[in-house]
Amino acid sequence: MIPSDIRVLVVEDDPVAADAHALYVGRVPGFTVSGTVHSGAGARRHLEQHAVDLLLLDLYLPDGHGLQLVRTLRAAGHTADIIAVTSARDLAMVREGVSLGVVQYVLKPFTFATLRDRLTRYAEFRAATGEASGQDEVDRAIAALRAPRPAALPKGLTAATLHAVTTVLRDSGSGLTATEAAADVGISRITARRYLEHLVESGRAARAPQYGQVGRPELRYRWSGH
């Protein structure tokens, strides 16, 4: 028997982000998008009409907190698993989510590679069936869910510097050139450009030529929010 795809409901108040998340989910083999909604009420209505295995759930919704939605769904008998998608870094909230059955947290902003890793590991965990032969097998099943592999960076790039470049770019209202980013972070312009190009390639930034100056136009990078 060929297993059916894992059906995912994307719950995200920002329509642009919701479409991006749905696109990401649709690119992962073994997963299909059941629907996209922008509120807790929309999620409840969808679940009343469609079978869903997994919610990709933003925690800040216009009609209430995502964890309150999870409580409501559990009380109504809905057993779909939850992957929380949020910019919140409050560990008390993380613990509360775990107690409600949130199986993974994905911090915004994230790349396709990050979400693909979480979904793939969730699928591995979900595929484990039957009776475990011993403690090792139980540990392996849980490890598939709880110990995600970090997405690999291109050679020569470090997580610390990427975080610094990401922060200054995200905080810049009108975007930054590589020269400006280099000055803000304290690295060379060439190094800054490598990190900025990586953000463009991973879908988290956009670039456009900056005109109005004598000579060759310089590229200006802007945070895309995805």
Side-chain angles (χ1 to χ4, degrees):
M1 179 178 178
I2 300 175
S4 59
D5 283 354
I6 296 171
R7 299 158 295 190
V8 181
L9 174 63
V10 176
V11 186
E12 165 64 56
D13 70 323
D14 182 348
V16 175
D19 289 344
H21 298 169
L23 179 64
Y24 282 175
V25 171
R27 290 170 58 189
V28 181
F31 290 84
T32 186
V33 178
S34 174
T36 301
V37 297
H38 309 301
S39 66
R44 291 191 294 272
R45 286 193 297 268
H46 187 93
L47 288 167
E48 289 170 359
Q49 303 173 22
H50 305 277
V52 171
D53 303 305
L54 176 67
L55 269 66
L56 195 61
L57 175 64
D58 180 24
L59 293 187
Y60 293 110
L61 299 172
D63 55 353
H65 197 278
L67 293 185
Q68 182 56 50
L69 171 62
V70 177
R71 293 190 196 93
T72 301
L73 295 178
R74 295 294 183 248
H78 294 291
T79 59
D81 290 321
I82 312 291
I83 292 182
V85 178
T86 179
S87 57
R89 287 164 169 77
D90 184 351
L91 292 179
M93 186 185 299
V94 172
R95 289 193 295 272
E96 183 180 1
V98 170
S99 72
L100 293 171
V102 175
V103 296
Q104 288 277 13
Y105 272 83
V106 181
L107 289 179
K108 296 179 179 180
F110 58 86
T111 65
F112 167 65
T114 297
L115 182 61
R116 179 183 59 199
D117 181 78
R118 301 305 190 275
L119 292 177
T120 300
R121 285 182 167 272
Y122 169 74
E124 292 173 2
F125 173 79
R126 184 182 173 90
T129 58
E131 185 172 345
S133 59
Q135 184 68 48
D136 288 348
E137 192 168 341
V138 173
D139 291 342
R140 281 195 299 272
I142 295 176
L145 190 60
R146 300 299 185 191
R149 293 178 293 267
L153 290 175
K155 185 177 180 180
L157 271 58
T158 68
T161 303
L162 178 60
H163 175 73
V165 173
T166 298
T167 299
V168 298
L169 183 63
R170 190 169 53 213
D171 292 345
S172 66
S174 59
L176 294 170
T177 64
T179 300
E180 292 166 340
D184 288 345
V185 177
I187 54 180
S188 71
R189 183 185 65 82
I190 294 175
T191 299
R193 182 167 183 176
R194 286 194 63 203
Y195 282 92
L196 291 167
E197 287 295 322
H198 171 70
L199 291 173
V200 171
E201 291 168 5
S202 60
R204 289 179 285 175
R207 63 172 177 261
Q210 177 177 280
Y211 295 100
Q213 299 178 355
V214 177
R216 186 176 180 181
E218 190 171 5
L219 292 174
R220 177 164 289 273
Y221 298 82
R222 288 182 173 83
W223 184 250
S224 68
H226 301 321

